[in-house]
Amino acid sequence: MDLKTTIIFLILCFVSILYLLPFIWMLSTALKSPAEAVSGELNIIPKEIVWQNFPYSLSVVPFMGYVGNSLIVAFFAVILTVFINCLAGYAFAKYHFKGRNLLFLLVLSTLMIPIHIIMVPNFFILKELGWINSYAGLIIPRAAEAFGLFLARQYMLSIPNELIEAARIDGAGEFKIFWKVVLPNVKPLIAVLIIFTFMWRWNDLIWPLIVVSDSSMYTVQLGLAIARGEHYIDWPILMSLTLMSIIPILIVFFIFQRYFVQGIVSSGMKG
Amino acid sequence: MSTLINWYQKNRIKIAPYLFISPNLILFFTFMIFPIIFTFYISFHNWAIIGDITFVGLENYVNVFKDVVFWTALGNTFYYTAGSVPISMILGLTGAVLLNRKIPLRSFFRGVFFAPVVVSLVATGLIWSWMFNPNYGLINYGLNAIGLTGLNWLSSTTWAMPAIIMTTIWVKTGYCLVIYLAGLQSIPDSIYEAAEIDGANSWKQFLYITLPLLKNTTVFVLVISVINGFMVFDLIYTMTNGGPGYSTTVLVQYIYQKAFVEGQMGYGSTVGTILFFIIMSFSAMMLWLGREQTS
């Protein structure tokens, strides 16, 4: 390493520590006794480590129920989203049909439309369907992701046509070709879609806020946001809940960091 | 029945794509396209979830334009966006330039800066609410340590929005960094080598090579960031819920407040429609500018 690289390396080390401080502070608070958290002293390492905060906070807030709801929503949303976006992406990439470009443009135009603006009609539609406070209401409406579709089509364009034609000559049906020939060839795409869909669903607040009013159906984010407003919940409890809420996504992130970066760069997904 | 199957067999290459896109299209039409049209429609009506929809023409629009809180929310939305976007972009670019070299722990650093992007905004909002706690928070502790007086961050009409902007910068910098890093990696080294031979120093290389070549990346990051800025909700909902007073009330949260808390669906939809046109005109303008520069 030359001098310049060494200096830059040291700067990056320092800035990284600063950048991680909020996380460290969260962890530190989650392990403090309520008294120490508001003692006015600053101890990054708590005087006494209170592991008890975790089971205690789970008894104060029915957090595991929220985790269960979020996992159910994320799991089924991933399966549904990845499947229908790959299917549609494949059709838009590899078939010539009437209205293809127009339909694709129409779908792409919804990329720019924030879900927030159409909260009111969506609430009304959910009510009409009887999907308020239901898993169906949390999962199905947001399964059609314009980002996922855009990404899927981009990736499917690179599949060689000969591969598809050969399968047709062998007499395979259209869906069978998709299932047996196309999908096994787009594994990286599927990985990116799974990771992003999981992240979007796990982190989403506004949609559960519209769909759910019954506390037994709260997702993790909704439960956290509501817990923030409860006067009987102190900071160590809140921080231990927050910590538990971000562990799944951080694990997924550090294992699949490469795919995250790839997904962001190739689609410029919502930041 | 068998004739139908025969007909499908003959025409399946024509029919299959329609079947393949139908699940997606049904959902898009039901939950995106139709709701947009419906939002416009509701904005000309009064409607309180329960009860009838009554046509009121432009009344909602007139009321919105006379509504002081609406203008405050619009101003706050611009304040938030203008305060967070440029700084995130500059810091992101700086970080990307520093990381665009052979350096030990490179992917670890990238991971550190990117981690806040994957954490939910609710969790981020909670962590930073605690950081900004006036009595026991890390921020005031740090300010006191260097001899400054701590502030009542989130309960102060002056400082609540800057606190939310700082939180946003912490989140968005990593996003900008990752996209800029990809942009930098697409610039061939040979250009820099040629500049080196011509005697251009690092700063000149950055100014005359890196920046111009990153123009498209910049336009792209700017459009996405500004649109995201206009749509801020989760952070505000978690950290201040629009308070103190209306000092951090932003448009999306005002829509939510009006429609779902106060039950004025028509009024909420009117604000929604206005936000829709702001975002659309902004996107169109930015894309047009981007096109001008690249051609």
Side-chain angles (χ1 to χ4, degrees):
Chain A
M1 282 211 305
D2 57 290
L3 181 67
K4 196 170 165 187
T5 310
T6 311
I7 291 169
I8 288 177
F9 177 75
L10 291 175
I11 292 172
L12 284 170
C13 284
F14 176 72
V15 177
S16 293
I17 292 169
L18 272 185
Y19 225 77
L20 288 172
L21 265 184
F23 290 129
I24 296 165
W25 183 236
M26 166 186 68
L27 180 63
S28 157
T29 307
L31 297 171
K32 277 178 189 170
S33 65
E36 192 185 350
V38 295
S39 64
E41 291 174 52
L42 178 106
N43 307 316
I44 292 289
I45 312 277
K47 275 195 220 137
E48 65 164 316
I49 295 193
V50 191
W51 295 106
Q52 202 48 42
N53 279 344
F54 292 99
Y56 178 64
S57 59
L58 294 180
S59 71
V60 176
V61 177
F63 191 72
M64 279 307 164
Y66 307 160
V67 171
N69 288 336
S70 279
L71 285 175
I72 290 169
V73 170
F75 177 80
F76 286 104
V78 163
I79 291 175
L80 188 64
T81 308
V82 173
F83 179 72
I84 69 174
N85 283 337
C86 284
L87 201 56
Y90 171 57
F92 280 121
K94 290 294 174 188
Y95 286 90
H96 296 280
F97 55 93
K98 256 200 197 63
R100 182 182 73 168
N101 295 347
L102 184 72
L103 284 171
F104 190 66
L105 257 176
L106 189 70
V107 168
L108 272 199
S109 69
T110 64
L111 270 177
M112 292 290 190
I113 294 158
I115 184 82
H116 311 77
I117 288 173
I118 50 178
M119 285 189 284
V120 174
N122 270 319
F123 176 76
F124 171 77
I125 294 165
L126 288 166
K127 249 176 96 99
E128 289 299 301
L129 290 166
W131 285 0
I132 297 288
N133 285 320
S134 74
Y135 288 124
L138 283 167
I139 295 164
I140 296 168
R142 307 211 61 191
E145 267 284 350
F147 280 98
L149 180 64
F150 175 72
L151 214 64
R153 179 184 164 271
Q154 283 291 82
Y155 203 93
M156 300 279 183
L157 285 171
S158 64
I159 297 172
N161 288 327
E162 296 77 25
L163 207 63
I164 298 162
E165 285 306 325
R168 270 198 196 119
I169 290 162
D170 289 344
E174 296 307 304
F175 185 78
K176 195 174 171 188
I177 295 173
F178 168 75
W179 193 251
K180 294 269 187 206
V181 178
V182 173
L183 281 190
N185 273 294
V186 293
K187 285 192 182 123
L189 164 74
I190 294 173
V192 169
L193 284 178
I194 288 176
I195 289 163
F196 276 93
T197 309
F198 179 81
M199 180 175 82
W200 288 328
R201 289 295 148 266
W202 184 266
N203 288 346
D204 196 17
L205 173 70
I206 189 109
W207 190 257
L209 202 58
I210 300 167
V211 180
V212 175
S213 56
D214 177 353
S215 64
S216 70
M217 286 299 293
Y218 280 4
T219 59
V220 167
Q221 308 307 334
L222 196 53
L224 268 184
I226 306 273
R228 160 85 161 104
E230 304 289 1
H231 60 92
Y232 57 88
I233 294 178
D234 54 33
W235 282 106
I237 290 179
L238 217 41
M239 285 299 110
S240 71
L241 292 175
T242 306
L243 178 64
M244 287 187 276
S245 82
I246 65 177
I247 284 172
I249 201 79
L250 282 182
I251 290 173
V252 170
F253 169 60
F254 277 105
I255 296 173
F256 298 104
Q257 198 192 136
R258 199 165 49 92
Y259 288 115
F260 265 99
V261 172
Q262 203 183 343
I264 292 240
V265 169
S266 54
S267 69
M269 60 135 254
K270 32 195 160 182
Chain B
M1 190 68 210
S2 64
T3 48
L4 193 68
I5 291 169
N6 276 336
W7 175 78
Y8 173 74
Q9 290 297 356
K10 275 202 201 87
N11 294 293
R12 62 179 199 211
I13 292 187
K14 284 203 192 91
I15 305 159
Y18 290 110
L19 295 177
F20 288 179
I21 60 176
S22 56
N24 240 320
L25 287 185
I26 290 168
L27 290 179
F28 270 118
F29 274 97
T30 314
F31 297 103
M32 289 297 271
I33 313 268
F34 170 69
I36 291 162
I37 299 161
F38 199 39
T39 301
F40 296 156
Y41 173 81
I42 302 173
S43 73
F44 297 106
H45 295 74
N46 269 345
W47 183 37
I49 309 184
I50 29 178
D52 300 332
I53 297 187
T54 45
F55 182 77
V56 292
L58 287 172
E59 190 189 301
N60 284 328
Y61 286 88
V62 173
N63 288 340
V64 167
F65 281 103
K66 283 197 285 196
D67 179 356
V68 178
V69 180
F70 165 77
W71 291 107
T72 308
L74 185 66
N76 285 337
T77 307
F78 276 98
Y79 176 17
Y80 170 84
T81 308
S84 58
V85 172
I87 300 177
S88 307
M89 285 174 71
I90 291 165
L91 291 176
L93 178 58
T94 311
V97 169
L98 292 182
L99 280 176
N100 191 29
R101 57 174 63 232
K102 287 208 169 8
I103 206 161
L105 297 181
R106 188 171 139 176
S107 65
F108 166 79
F109 288 135
R110 193 185 60 189
V112 167
F113 296 129
F114 195 64
V117 179
V118 303
V119 169
S120 79
L121 289 165
V122 176
T124 303
L126 284 171
I127 294 169
W128 282 84
S129 295
W130 177 225
M131 297 271 291
F132 282 119
N133 183 291
N135 305 317
Y136 315 111
L138 202 55
I139 306 265
N140 276 358
Y141 191 92
L143 288 176
N144 292 335
I146 54 173
L148 296 167
T149 330
L151 297 160
N152 279 332
W153 295 102
L154 297 178
S155 46
S156 141
T157 47
T158 314
W159 294 103
M161 190 55 104
I164 292 169
I165 289 172
M166 277 185 241
T167 306
T168 306
I169 290 167
W170 181 72
V171 175
K172 299 293 178 189
T173 296
Y175 170 77
C176 299
L177 183 145
V178 166
I179 297 190
Y180 270 128
L181 196 54
L184 286 171
Q185 281 162 351
S186 66
I187 301 175
D189 286 338
S190 55
I191 303 184
Y192 290 109
E193 281 154 20
E196 198 84 54
I197 291 162
D198 291 342
N201 61 24
S202 306
W203 175 242
K204 279 220 161 104
Q205 287 179 24
F206 175 76
L207 218 53
Y208 296 112
I209 300 172
T210 314
L211 272 187
L213 287 176
L214 286 178
K215 196 170 245 167
N216 284 349
T217 310
T218 302
V219 170
F220 172 78
V221 175
L222 185 66
V223 173
I224 299 266
S225 302
V226 169
I227 290 174
N228 276 319
F230 283 150
M231 292 194 279
V232 61
F233 174 81
D234 298 14
L235 260 192
I236 303 236
Y237 184 79
T238 312
M239 289 175 83
T240 60
N241 205 6
Y246 287 106
S247 66
T248 57
T249 297
V250 289
L251 284 174
V252 171
Q253 189 225 342
Y254 193 50
I255 298 171
Y256 178 80
Q257 179 74 25
K258 278 288 166 195
F260 292 97
V261 181
E262 296 172 26
Q264 299 182 37
M265 291 291 185
Y267 199 91
S269 297
T270 308
V271 180
T273 305
I274 294 167
L275 179 57
F276 174 83
F277 281 112
I278 293 173
I279 289 180
M280 280 296 148
S281 52
F282 182 83
S283 309
M285 191 176 75
M286 291 314 295
L287 293 172
W288 181 73
L289 278 177
R291 188 167 299 165
E292 286 286 282
Q293 289 164 340
T294 46
S295 56

